[in-house]
Amino acid sequence: MSSEQTHAETADTAPAAGERPRRLTYAAVLAALEGIALVVAGVWILALGLTGAPDDRQQAVTGGITLLALALLPLLAARGLWLKRRWSRGPAVITQILALPVAYNLLQADSIAIPAGIGLAAVSVAALVLLVNPATTRALGITGPGRAE
């Protein structure tokens, strides 16, 4: 392949300085949706713990607060991805990796949790694929080891 062909292909696939690739946008949206889902679940569990009659009120309140705290990671990662911040890919990848065992546990349930597990697994895998995509890494300015591009 000639250097002209390589340069033409790079020009076609590399985003402009201010442009965000669609894959990066989709990854940011998926991370934000996960964060929003954690906020909703945390508020719901917290509200049930405070107003309902849970088996253990303290456990319900603690669980709700924990989910709200956990929501910060994907929400911050989503914001960073949206703003094309290099640091944001790490927390986004960690969020997806942590979501996979949760999805597996949901799939083991004999209840309505099974569709939630399928959805969470699909979102996590899709987000991981988007996050390791070369267009995403280029847009975030991430280079491989030993590459000083």
Side-chain angles (χ1 to χ4, degrees), residues 41-111:
V43 168
W44 182 58
I45 291 173
L46 189 59
L48 285 177
L50 294 174
T51 62
D55 294 337
D56 185 357
R57 183 179 307 269
Q58 184 179 2
Q59 186 177 6
V61 171
T62 302
I65 292 171
T66 301
L67 286 179
L68 289 173
L70 287 173
L72 290 175
L73 185 63
L75 290 174
L76 289 173
R79 185 174 189 278
L81 290 171
W82 187 263
L83 297 174
K84 295 182 359 181
R85 304 288 190 250
R86 181 184 305 197
W87 61 263
S88 62
R89 191 175 89 155
V93 168
I94 289 168
T95 299
Q96 305 318 316
I97 291 171
L98 291 175
L100 290 172
V102 174
Y104 178 78
N105 283 334
L106 291 172
L107 290 169
Q108 300 305 309
D110 290 330
S111 67

Side-chain angles (χ1 to χ4, degrees), residues 108-145:
Q108 300 305 309
D110 290 330
S111 67
I112 195 162
I114 293 172
I118 293 169
L120 180 58
V123 168
S124 296
V125 170
L128 278 171
V129 168
L130 292 168
L131 288 166
V132 299
N133 187 281
T136 301
T137 56
R138 273 194 308 275
L140 293 174
I142 298 170
T143 58

Side-chain angles (χ1 to χ4, degrees), residues 13 15-16 19-26 84 135-136 138-140:
T13 58
E19 187 179 331
R20 181 178 32 260
R22 283 188 314 222
R23 291 177 181 101
L24 183 57
T25 301
Y26 298 154
K84 295 182 359 181
T136 301
R138 273 194 308 275
L140 293 174

